[in-house]
Amino acid sequence: MSSTALQYTQNGDYLVPNIELNQPQTPLGKYGRMRRMFLKESRPILYNHLLLSGKLYPHLAEIDRTAKDRLDRQMEELLKQNPAPDKAAQQMAWVQHMNALKMQAEEVIRNELIFS
């Protein structure tokens, strides 16, 4: 059994452990941040376990990557099923159509990846 001796710093009347989280400096995307908030608010035990074991950031980065890939694939499939109007002739209709498809795809992603 290996033991790791923690180093402490005196801060007034308290001894504070010198703990450093080793997280990459690349920021999380939208879906990774959504997953982090869900875990923090709805699954605090899992959140703390992932955080303390150093697995939180890799988990959130993987969720973010997977969600972005799935969004791209679902948008392609939805566009095949529901073609968008001509962008040059009907710009606002095209934007409305694309936003509706994106909202539909994101709803699936939130239910299957973020809030599970």
Side-chain angles (χ1 to χ4, degrees), residues 2-81:
S2 75
S3 66
T4 305
L6 286 176
Q7 301 294 321
Y8 293 88
T9 303
Q10 184 80 30
N11 188 356
D13 292 337
Y14 301 101
L15 286 175
V16 179
N18 299 334
I19 298 175
E20 183 177 315
L21 293 176
N22 297 323
Q23 293 185 355
Q25 294 300 318
T26 55
L28 289 173
K30 172 184 175 179
Y31 303 107
R33 292 189 313 267
M34 286 172 67
R35 176 69 174 171
R36 181 179 60 207
M37 287 305 299
F38 169 75
L39 290 174
K40 202 174 208 180
E41 293 173 0
S42 301
R43 309 269 315 268
I45 295 172
L46 177 59
Y47 174 81
N48 287 326
H49 172 71
L50 291 171
L51 179 65
L52 294 174
S53 66
K55 296 177 183 175
L56 180 63
Y57 185 84
H59 170 75
L60 298 175
E62 179 62 28
I63 291 289
D64 194 58
R65 252 189 322 276
T66 303
K68 287 177 184 175
D69 291 343
R70 189 173 294 181
L71 178 67
D72 292 341
R73 284 195 317 270
Q74 283 186 325
M75 285 296 290
E76 288 176 14
E77 290 175 18
L78 288 171
L79 274 172
K80 286 179 187 174
Q81 296 170 2

